[in-house]
Amino acid sequence: MGDKPIWEQIGSSFVQHYYQLFDADRTQLGAIYIDASCLTWEGQQFQGKAAIVEKLSSLPFQKIQHSITAQDHQPTPDSCILSMVVGQLKADDDQVLGFHQTFLLKNYQGAWVCTNEVFRLALHN
């Protein structure tokens, strides 16, 4: 009973893997998307593995480090996993910024992939 539910284990493993790849070499993130995947990045929409990887690879910083503050995972009625991440990031020599990121994970051909993703910096105007 002390074990986490399977969707939390899968979600936590995905989140750890995602940010390790993102921080080390974000050009390698293509493996977690499929051609039907969608990304909303600060309000901009991208669809498809190639468009998503192009966007993430072209972000205007050389190095980045994410620090996860909290993450929540839920099973969906159609056997997917909804994951929400709150944390901080530091890009190059910029100040530390808060962020929120949500992933919808689906088991596709025996692997968990990200079908939907939304990212926002936690900025208040």
Side-chain angles (χ1 to χ4, degrees):
M1 297 253 315
D3 288 352
K4 290 182 180 179
I6 189 68
W7 66 84
E8 285 190 21
Q9 294 174 36
I10 293 166
S12 292
S13 293
F14 175 87
V15 165
Q16 180 181 4
H17 179 67
Y18 176 89
Y19 292 110
Q20 283 176 344
L21 279 178
F22 199 110
D23 291 358
D25 182 3
R26 59 189 182 274
T27 64
Q28 300 300 309
L29 286 169
I32 68 164
Y33 300 104
I34 57 175
D35 289 335
S37 294
C38 294
L39 165 67
T40 302
W41 187 273
E42 288 289 318
Q44 293 182 299
Q45 302 278 339
F46 302 90
Q47 184 163 12
K49 180 191 296 198
I52 292 169
V53 172
E54 182 180 335
K55 171 59 181 175
L56 297 178
S57 298
S58 69
L59 292 170
F61 49 80
Q62 298 302 309
K63 63 182 179 174
I64 188 165
Q65 183 175 12
H66 290 85
S67 176
I68 306 307
T69 304
Q71 55 184 300
D72 297 298
H73 311 281
Q74 296 179 346
T76 67
D78 56 350
S79 301
C80 293
I81 299 170
L82 180 65
S83 296
M84 181 176 174
V85 177
V86 176
Q88 295 182 319
L89 60 83
K90 180 155 178 51
D92 293 331
D93 294 323
D94 294 345
Q95 67 181 14
V96 173
L97 298 171
F99 74 93
H100 304 272
Q101 197 158 10
T102 304
F103 303 95
L104 184 62
L105 310 177
K106 181 174 182 62
N107 194 309
Y108 179 78
Q109 298 179 348
W112 287 93
V113 297
C114 178
T115 59
N116 299 80
E117 178 180 352
V118 178
F119 173 88
R120 284 279 182 177
L121 290 170
L123 303 175
H124 305 281
N125 295 329

